[in-house]
Amino acid sequence: MSHVRTPQPKSRPAWLKSVRAALIATVAVCVVLLAFAWPTATSRVENLPVAVVGSQEQIDTVTQKMPDHLLELHPVANREDAVNGIRSRDVYGGIVLGEQPEILTASAASPVASQMLTGVGTNMQRGIDQQVIAGMQQALQKMASGGGAAPGGPGAPGQNGGAASDGTASGGAAQAQRGAGAQQAPGAPGATPPTVKVTDVVPLSDDDTRGSGLAIAGLPLTMGGMIGGVLISLLVTGVRKHLLAIALYGVLGGLALAGILQGVFGILQANYWVNAAATGLGIAATASVIVGLNSLIGRPGIAVGAVLTMFIGNPISALTQPKEFILPPFGEIGQWLVPGLSGTVLRDLSYFPEANIAGQIWALIG
C-alpha cells in the first residue's frame, strides 16, 4: 500500500520576517513622532481669551496695532473684574487701558500666554514713547519756526535784543513743554509719559518658576495609570476584583505620587491630601479605561487603551500650551480625555482655587 505524501506549505524565508519587523517598527516610530510633534507643529498663536478694560475707542486703537486674531478680547467694567476672570480661569490675562495702562498676566495658567501678553505690553509702551517723541518734535518745530522776529519788531537788533532773546527762548521752552504734555497725558501739561505696568496676578511658585513642573508631571501620571491598568488586566480577574484593585491603586498611587510631586519637587501647591486625591483619581481613571477595554475586547484592549492615553490624550492635553493654540477641535477634545482632565484639576487646585472644576472631577469619576 503506497502512502500519499501531503504537500507541506512553503515556509517564508527568514529574511522576510526581518523585513516585516523592520517595517512595523518604522511605522510605529513614525506614529509616535507624529503623535507628539503634531500638536506643537500645527499650533497657532491666536484667539487667546483676554479681558480688556477701556472705552471702545481705546480698544479699537489697540486692536488696530495687533495682528489679526491674536487675542480674543472680552470687555469688562474694571480692573477688578479682569482679575476675577483670571483667577476663575475664564481668561488668561487682562489689558487695562487709560491713563494708567497695565498688563495683567497669570504665569501659573500658562507661561507661554504670559510671555505673549508681556510682549503686548512692550509694544504698547513703544507706541506711547513714539507718540511722546512725535509731540516733542512738533513742539520743537513750532518753536524753531516762531523763533525769528520781524524787522523792527521786539526782537530786532538794538531794541532790547537781550531781553527779547531771553523772552523768545523762555516762550519756546514753554511751548515745547505744552506740546510734550499734550502727547504724554491729555489735560496734564508737563506730565511724564505713562508707563505700561505688567502685573503677574497668579505667579508660579518659587519651586517651579518656569512652569515646566506641571508639564513634566503629566507624563509620569499618564504612564502610572497605564502601568496600573496593564498589571491589573493581566494579574486580576473578575469585575469586583478589578474595581477593588483600581480603587486601592488610586489611593496608594495618589498618596505616593503626590508625595513626590509636592514633598520632593514642590511642583504641586495647596493641600497635600486634596492633591493626593486628585492624583489618585487621575491614575485610577487611566487604569480603569485600560482594564475596561481589556474586559470588552480582550488583550487588544490593552493596546487600544495605551494608544488612546499616551499617543492621543497626552499630546493634546494642553499641559505645555493653551488649548486655544492647538488645532481645533483637538484642543477642546484633549480637555476631556484623562491626561487633560488630570492636568487641569492639578493646576487649578495648586493655583486657581476659585476656578470651577466640578465638571472635570465628575468626568474623571465617570
Side-chain angles (χ1 to χ4, degrees):
M1 184 176 179
S2 61
H3 296 280
V4 179
R5 181 176 296 179
T6 304
Q8 299 294 327
K10 295 182 179 180
S11 59
R12 295 182 179 181
W15 61 270
L16 286 178
K17 295 181 180 179
S18 300
V19 172
R20 184 178 62 179
L23 289 175
I24 293 174
T26 301
V27 172
V29 74
C30 289
V31 170
V32 171
L33 176 62
L34 288 173
F36 284 92
W38 172 79
T40 302
T42 60
S43 64
R44 298 176 294 184
V45 183
E46 62 180 19
N47 297 328
L48 186 73
V50 173
V52 60
V53 181
S55 65
Q56 188 59 48
E57 182 181 357
Q58 292 172 329
I59 295 174
D60 293 340
T61 301
V62 171
T63 53
Q64 288 173 0
K65 299 178 181 179
M66 291 183 186
D68 293 338
H69 309 296
L70 178 66
L71 302 178
E72 182 182 294
L73 297 179
H74 297 260
V76 294
N78 49 51
R79 183 184 185 276
E80 183 179 358
D81 289 345
V83 171
N84 291 335
I86 294 171
R87 289 177 174 167
S88 60
R89 295 208 70 185
D90 294 327
V91 292
Y92 284 88
I95 301 175
V96 181
L97 304 174
E99 296 182 359
Q100 296 180 338
E102 184 179 10
I103 299 293
L104 304 175
T105 66
S107 57
S110 171
V112 175
S114 179
Q115 293 173 3
M116 192 180 80
L117 287 172
T118 301
V120 171
T122 301
N123 290 334
M124 287 176 58
Q125 185 64 62
R126 187 180 295 116
I128 292 173
D129 294 341
Q130 289 174 351
Q131 289 180 358
V132 172
I133 292 172
M136 289 292 296
Q137 291 175 342
Q138 291 177 2
L140 291 173
Q141 290 175 356
K142 291 180 180 179
M143 182 180 69
S145 61
Q159 297 183 8
N160 298 325
S165 177
D166 292 342
T168 303
S170 60
Q175 187 179 15
Q177 185 178 11
R178 288 194 300 271
Q183 292 291 333
Q184 294 163 11
T192 57
T195 301
V196 179
K197 182 181 178 182
V198 178
T199 304
D200 196 345
V201 177
V202 188
L204 288 160
S205 70
D206 294 336
D207 296 320
D208 187 20
T209 55
R210 294 182 298 176
S212 58
L214 281 172
I216 294 173
L219 185 60
L221 290 178
T222 302
M223 290 292 296
M226 288 175 52
I227 293 171
V230 171
L231 291 177
I232 292 172
S233 297
L234 297 177
L235 301 178
V236 180
T237 58
V239 176
R240 293 182 180 179
K241 293 179 181 179
H242 279 162
L243 293 175
L244 177 60
I246 290 172
L248 287 175
Y249 179 59
V251 173
L252 298 177
L255 292 172
L257 291 178
I260 295 172
L261 292 174
Q262 186 164 355
V264 178
F265 297 115
I267 293 174
L268 302 180
Q269 309 300 312
N271 184 276
Y272 163 74
W273 298 104
V274 175
N275 288 328
T279 303
L281 185 59
I283 62 174
T286 300
S288 68
V289 169
I290 294 176
V291 172
L293 288 171
N294 176 69
S295 299
L296 286 174
I297 60 177
R299 291 293 183 262
I302 296 177
V304 173
V307 170
L308 180 65
T309 303
M310 176 61 70
F311 300 133
I312 297 178
N314 192 62
I316 60 176
S317 62
L319 289 174
T320 59
Q321 59 182 328
K323 62 183 177 65
E324 289 79 9
F325 291 177
I326 300 175
L327 186 68
F330 299 103
E332 196 63 40
I333 293 174
Q335 295 306 291
W336 296 103
L337 297 177
V338 177
L341 290 168
S342 300
T344 299
V345 169
L346 290 176
R347 187 186 299 274
D348 288 357
L349 288 175
S350 292
Y351 295 105
F352 299 91
E354 298 178 16
N356 184 4
I357 57 174
Q360 286 81 358
I361 295 294
W362 282 112
L364 286 173
I365 292 174

